[in-house]
Structure formats: C-alpha cells, structure tokens
Amino acid sequence: MATRIPLDRAQAQSEELKDRLEMSTAEIGLAVRTTNCLEEKGVFTVHDLLHCTQEDLLSISNFGEKTLEEVYKALENVGFYRPGRATLPSQRKAK
C-alpha cells in the first residue's frame, strides 16, 4: 500500500490563498453590473481587486458607495477584510 506524504500546513494555506486570489470577480458573488464595471476598468480577479484603492473603485463610472460596500462584503466572504474589521469570530474580543 502506498503511503501519502501529508502537505505541510503552510504550503496548504499558501495554495488556498493563491486559489482565492485567482478567483474571478464573478466567482465571489458580485452582481453582474458590478462585475461588468470592474472588468471595464481591467479588474478581473480578487488579486486585481485587492490592488485597487477605494478612490480607484469610486472613480469607475456607475460605481458608488453601495457598490463599494457590495465589493467589501464579497471580499469578506472569501476571507479578505478591511483594516480594522474582525477577521474571524474567534479573534473578536468580548466587550
């Protein structure tokens, strides 16, 4: 019987991160209109999106505050959080 060599945890996490960064904007649950706006600006993947500033996004035609919030929520759903936002429920501190 062949034995499997387990992946190193860091390598597995690295591969998972790479996969999430390569997801298309459509795959993260954005509305078609939002995806179209982003693609017109050359933003096709999560990696591209994470390199856009708030100002970059708001400068896109038909892209306003509600659309920006939609993008932030979609990014949070795949594990990318804005600075100052809790990243995991286990990391939130009880008040």
Side-chain angles (χ1 to χ4, degrees):
M1 178 189 270
T3 51
R4 292 183 174 206
I5 300 171
L7 281 178
D8 178 58
R9 187 177 197 175
Q11 181 181 357
Q13 288 175 340
S14 176
E15 288 177 13
E16 179 189 337
L17 176 61
K18 182 181 172 221
D19 291 343
R20 288 186 296 144
L21 288 170
E22 291 175 351
M23 291 175 74
S24 73
T25 55
E27 288 179 283
I28 64 172
L30 295 175
V32 173
R33 184 188 69 77
T34 304
T35 300
N36 290 341
C37 287
L38 291 169
E39 287 180 355
E40 285 179 24
K41 191 74 170 180
V43 178
F44 298 98
T45 65
V46 170
H47 181 266
D48 297 337
L49 191 53
L50 291 173
H51 283 86
C52 292
T53 65
Q54 181 176 342
E55 292 77 22
D56 292 336
L57 296 173
L58 291 173
S59 71
I60 299 171
S61 180
N62 297 317
F63 200 104
E65 293 289 334
K66 286 184 181 181
T67 308
L68 183 64
E69 193 59 35
E70 175 193 353
V71 167
Y72 286 150
K73 285 181 182 179
L75 287 172
E76 287 177 2
N77 288 337
V78 293
F80 295 101
Y81 298 85
R82 291 176 270 182
R85 298 282 290 221
T87 56
L88 295 172
S90 62
Q91 292 178 336
R92 293 184 186 139
K93 298 196 181 203
K95 291 183 180 182

